[in-house]
Amino acid sequence: MNPQTRLVEVRQKVLKQNDVIARELRRQFQEAGVLVISLVSSPGAGKTSLLRETLRRLGESNRVAALVGDLATENDARRLAESGAPVRQIVTGTVCHLEAEMVKTALQGWRLDELDFLFIENVGNLVCPASYDLGEDFRAVLLSTTEGEDKPLKYPTIFNTADVAVITKADLASVVEFDRQAALENIQRVRPGMRVVEVSAKTARGTKGGTAWGIEPWLELLVERRAGALAREVAK
Ligand code: MG
Ligand code: ZN
């Protein structure tokens, strides 16, 4: 067997094993009634800032927690812990994405049934996180106004595996001359019908082009998703 074929086979086996663990995690999350949201983006798009603010605000009337992946540091966990929510860091070392097994290990000792929302911040990377199911209910892909408008065209796969696109740093849009219309079109070209939320960790609510933006519309989406998930569970 040539080495390339062997590599592909090993890789498929690893992915398959990941899916088995992810499926089991999803079952546990549903049983516990916790909504699990993963965040993916390139480094610096603002996952941690958005998450810290989300934990702080959502945590006022909900039980929230987070896992955060990083290659080398625990800085993000420290920043997130400022929200007062339980947070665990997953240091991945040389692995540039999270895998279901890492999530499973990081959750040891946590009572899932005592949570309403669990967030998983992936390592900053728009490539391989697309291939790894973490058992989440939904995946949010972030793109920041400071990154330009073409991320969806460059990384179509991650947009296709995500459920919601979140445009971050919306407060900086005019400063960096972000072409909002082009960004929205690029998202729809890659993933027709994709839901888009425009946020800023620093702004509660505003209006842009007739659409509400800021952190509140994002929080409303989360609450709405959890209510929907619980209703489906009851109807089973
Ligand atoms: Mg981060
Ligand atoms: Zn990777």
Side-chain angles (χ1 to χ4, degrees):
M1 194 189 298
N2 81 44
Q4 196 55 45
T5 316
R6 161 118 188 96
L7 192 67
V8 169
E9 279 184 5
V10 169
R11 184 129 190 91
Q12 279 166 350
K13 210 166 163 192
V14 170
L15 280 180
K16 216 168 144 197
Q17 193 192 356
N18 184 80
D19 285 344
V20 172
I21 301 167
R23 205 175 307 147
E24 174 58 19
L25 283 174
R26 186 166 287 116
R27 196 194 57 76
Q28 287 174 16
F29 295 151
Q30 276 166 5
E31 210 175 81
V34 55
L35 188 80
V36 182
I37 304 99
S38 73
L39 305 178
V40 291
S41 78
S42 53
K47 292 184 296 301
T48 310
S49 297
L50 176 63
L51 192 46
R52 182 176 54 183
E53 201 53 22
T54 302
L55 292 172
R56 199 173 68 74
R57 292 188 182 238
L58 203 60
E60 286 169 5
S61 42
N62 297 275
R63 299 165 300 174
V64 298
L67 302 178
V68 53
D70 191 72
L71 291 170
T73 75
E74 303 216 347
N75 297 349
D76 284 357
R78 261 197 299 277
R79 286 176 62 202
L80 292 175
E82 291 166 13
S83 68
V87 177
R88 270 191 192 156
Q89 182 79 50
I90 303 173
V91 177
T92 58
T94 55
V95 184
C96 56
H97 56 265
L98 290 180
E99 296 181 9
E101 178 71 44
M102 299 174 189
V103 171
K104 185 180 158 191
T105 306
L107 286 174
Q108 269 166 19
W110 271 8
R111 291 279 310 267
L112 290 172
D113 58 352
E114 290 176 358
L115 290 178
D116 300 318
F117 296 90
L118 171 67
F119 296 87
I120 306 173
E121 177 183 332
N122 214 317
V123 178
N125 177 349
L126 284 173
V127 186
C128 35
S131 309
Y132 292 86
D133 183 358
L134 303 177
E136 67 268 67
D137 285 278
F138 78 98
R139 184 179 283 182
V141 59
L142 279 61
L143 62 155
S144 70
T145 56
T146 54
E147 294 176 290
E149 304 82 23
D150 62 353
K151 281 272 148 42
L153 305 179
K154 285 185 174 169
Y155 302 96
T157 311
I158 195 88
F159 279 81
N160 273 299
T161 65
D163 305 286
V164 179
V166 181
I167 299 177
T168 58
K169 309 187 191 179
D171 55 313
L172 297 177
S174 56
V175 181
V176 297
E177 297 184 2
F178 177 68
D179 187 342
R180 176 175 182 266
Q181 208 46 46
L184 296 176
E185 278 166 22
N186 289 342
I187 293 168
Q188 296 305 321
R189 189 175 313 161
V190 168
R191 181 80 185 274
M194 189 174 209
R195 178 135 177 210
V196 182
V197 205
E198 296 167 76
V199 307
S200 155
K202 297 190 175 129
T203 313
R205 184 186 286 277
T207 310
K208 232 172 229 175
T211 328
W213 70 286
I215 191 125
E216 284 172 6
W218 160 246
L219 300 179
E220 284 158 14
L221 171 107
L222 295 171
V223 169
E224 176 194 305
R225 287 292 172 111
R226 179 158 189 273
L230 289 179
R232 278 195 300 281
E233 221 18 51
V234 170
K236 259 187 200 169

